[in-house]
């Protein structure tokens, strides 16, 4: 934090509700943006104990907080304690941002709009062709919901096919078309040969410290991918990305999704628009906080 930071009687506070919160990059993003824009705003982490989420939201309201982020494990639980939900957050079933409105907080999901903005920044067009989603956890589900309006076809590949099928059924029930289908991870060879996919890697496989692993180890799989988008951000270059590139595809990590979910939350709280050089500064601060220098 630079010495120029000002805290006075008019300073507004935003914070992060989660547990654990020690490794969060959000203070680096938000405090950098606020300082660069001269916003009288500070952002701090709040470690909330299981069972205390309602009290935390009510306390944040009573203390006049401008907004909060919400992270693991409270993104679904927090939804019960809000005045209003943004329709996308409701459909995804997860809230990561609370915005102060008259009479209570409104809940948003900025993770998925953040991913869309990251796609855009990286020149990835999610509506341009068929998509594979690897994994069927909370994030994979959110990706399927968001892309169901954009991509012509989505295949969810998961170790436990039942979880992938459940997401496909839920998302298809909402969508006008039936764009999503489930496939067991072990059956990936059934993907039509000659087809090329955008693959969104939404499993935990390859995360620090198990960096030598990829969810599919067979190099042939990567021949089917034109773009590999790994949502993991630590390490910055995963084995999945490496294998995608070795097969001739383009590969990206989850750092920009992390950046943009923060930027969109900040824009919702302040009404500011963050572009260009300011984005770069927030990105650099985030990577510096992660000790990821480029
Ligand atoms: P989750 O709910 O725990 O789901 C994990 C998924 O990984 C499940 O589908 C699980 O399959 C699969 N998996 C785990 N170990 C596996 C293995 N050995 N082989 C095959 N599949 C395996 O996790 P999540 O909350 O959705 O998060 C998923 C990823 O998103 C994480 O890597 C996280 O880093 C990333 N993420 C990124 C951002 C960002 O801003 N960039 C934000 C949030 C999360 P089963 O169903 O078979 O167990």
């Amino acid at each position: 934090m630079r010495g120029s930071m000002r805290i006075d009687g008019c300073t507004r506070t935003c914070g992060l509700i989660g547990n654990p919160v020690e490794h969060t990059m959000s203070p680096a993003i938000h405090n950098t943006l606020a300082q660069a824009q001269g916003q009288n705003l500070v952002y701090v982490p709040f470690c909330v104990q299981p069972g205390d989420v309602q009290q935390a939201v009510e306390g944040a309201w009573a203390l006049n907080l401008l907004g909060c982020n919400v992270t693991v494990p409270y993104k679904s639980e927090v939804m019960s304690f809000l005045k209003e939900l943004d329709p996308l957050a409701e459909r995804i079933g997860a809230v990561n941002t609370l915005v102060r409105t008259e009479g209570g907080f409104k809940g948003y999901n900025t993770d998925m709009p953040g991913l869309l903005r990251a796609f855009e920044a990286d020149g990835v067009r999610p509506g341009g062709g068929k998509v594979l989603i690897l994994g069927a956890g909370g994030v994979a589900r959110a990706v399927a919901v968001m892309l169901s309006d954009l991509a012509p076809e989505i295949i969810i590949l998961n170790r436990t096919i039942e979880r992938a099928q459940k997401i496909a059924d839920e998302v298809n029930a909402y969508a006008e078309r039936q764009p999503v289908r489930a496939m067991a991870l072990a059956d990936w060879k059934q993907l039509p040969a000659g087809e090329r996919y955008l693959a969104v890697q939404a499993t935990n496989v390859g995360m620090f410290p198990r960096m030598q692993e990829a969810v599919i180890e067979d190099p042939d799989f990567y021949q089917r991918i034109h773009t590999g988008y790994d949502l993991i951000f630590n390490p910055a270059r995963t084995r999945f990305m490496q294998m995608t590139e070795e097969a001739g595809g383009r590969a990206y990590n989850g750092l920009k999704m992390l950046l943009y979910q923060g930027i969109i939350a900040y824009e919702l709280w302040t009404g500011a628009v963050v572009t260009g050089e300011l984005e770069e500064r927030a990105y650099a601060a985030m990577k510096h906080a992660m000790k990821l220098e480029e």
Side-chain angles (χ1 to χ4, degrees):
M1 190 68 51
R2 287 205 304 268
S4 60
M5 192 177 137
R6 174 190 64 178
I7 296 183
D8 60 23
C10 297
T11 302
R12 298 303 304 266
T13 306
C14 292
L16 173 68
I17 292 173
N19 191 347
V21 293
E22 285 78 10
H23 301 290
T24 176
M25 298 305 134
S26 294
I29 299 172
H30 296 291
N31 290 317
T32 298
L33 291 173
Q35 281 189 52
Q37 289 207 308
Q39 295 265 2
N40 194 352
L41 186 159
V42 292
Y43 183 102
V44 286
F46 298 117
C47 187
V48 173
Q49 297 307 315
D52 286 349
V53 178
Q54 182 170 5
Q55 278 174 286
V57 173
E58 288 171 2
W61 176 258
L63 290 170
N64 198 31
L65 264 62
L66 182 61
C68 282
N69 283 135
V70 182
T71 188
V72 179
Y74 302 131
K75 288 185 184 187
S76 299
E77 189 183 341
V78 75
M79 295 173 77
S80 312
F81 311 120
L82 306 178
K83 180 174 173 262
E84 196 184 344
L85 285 174
D86 178 69
L88 179 68
E90 190 166 13
R91 215 175 131 192
I92 289 170
V95 159
N96 80 319
T97 301
L98 311 187
V99 177
R100 192 177 188 88
T101 61
E102 213 168 302
F105 286 114
K106 180 171 178 181
Y108 291 84
N109 184 303
T110 71
D111 284 325
M112 288 305 113
L115 177 59
L116 277 191
R117 208 148 138 183
F119 279 158
E120 200 181 321
D122 286 326
V124 172
R125 290 172 50 240
K130 299 183 178 183
V131 178
L132 299 178
I133 298 175
L134 300 168
V139 174
R141 187 181 181 285
V143 174
V145 168
M146 191 187 63
L147 295 189
S148 64
D149 293 335
L150 296 171
E153 186 183 334
I154 299 169
I155 301 172
I156 305 176
L157 284 159
N158 198 45
R159 179 177 60 182
T160 315
I161 188 165
E162 292 76 15
R163 293 185 79 190
Q165 190 61 57
K166 188 163 181 281
I167 295 173
D169 292 344
E170 285 171 10
V171 176
N172 285 336
Y174 240 110
E176 276 174 31
R177 308 170 288 128
Q178 302 277 295
V180 189
R181 67 187 170 98
M183 187 182 271
L185 193 62
D187 292 341
W188 65 262
K189 286 189 176 147
Q190 292 177 11
L191 292 169
E195 198 74 71
R196 292 287 175 275
Y197 296 88
L198 159 65
V200 181
Q201 202 301 108
T203 77
N204 304 322
V205 184
M207 270 171 82
F208 178 86
R210 297 172 66 175
M211 301 182 296
Q212 298 314 313
E213 299 174 14
V215 64
I216 295 174
E217 294 283 357
D218 189 332
D220 278 355
F221 169 73
Y222 296 86
Q223 298 291 340
R224 291 168 157 81
I225 295 180
H226 61 75
T227 305
Y229 213 98
D230 201 331
L231 303 187
I232 290 174
F233 49 79
N234 184 14
R237 186 168 147 84
T238 61
R239 181 159 165 74
F240 174 85
M241 291 168 63
Q242 187 189 329
M243 294 188 79
T244 301
E245 284 176 349
E246 280 169 6
R250 297 189 301 157
Y252 304 91
N253 63 29
L255 274 169
K256 287 198 180 133
M257 171 179 161
L258 188 64
L259 171 72
Y260 286 116
Q261 63 73 31
I263 285 180
I264 296 168
Y266 177 88
E267 289 176 336
L268 286 168
W269 295 327
T270 61
V273 176
V274 177
T275 54
E277 200 254 338
L278 201 50
E279 283 182 356
E280 294 298 326
R281 275 168 80 168
Y283 196 39
M286 186 187 95
K287 286 194 288 190
H288 182 73
M290 282 176 143
K291 301 184 174 52
L292 283 175
E293 309 290 352
E294 275 182 353

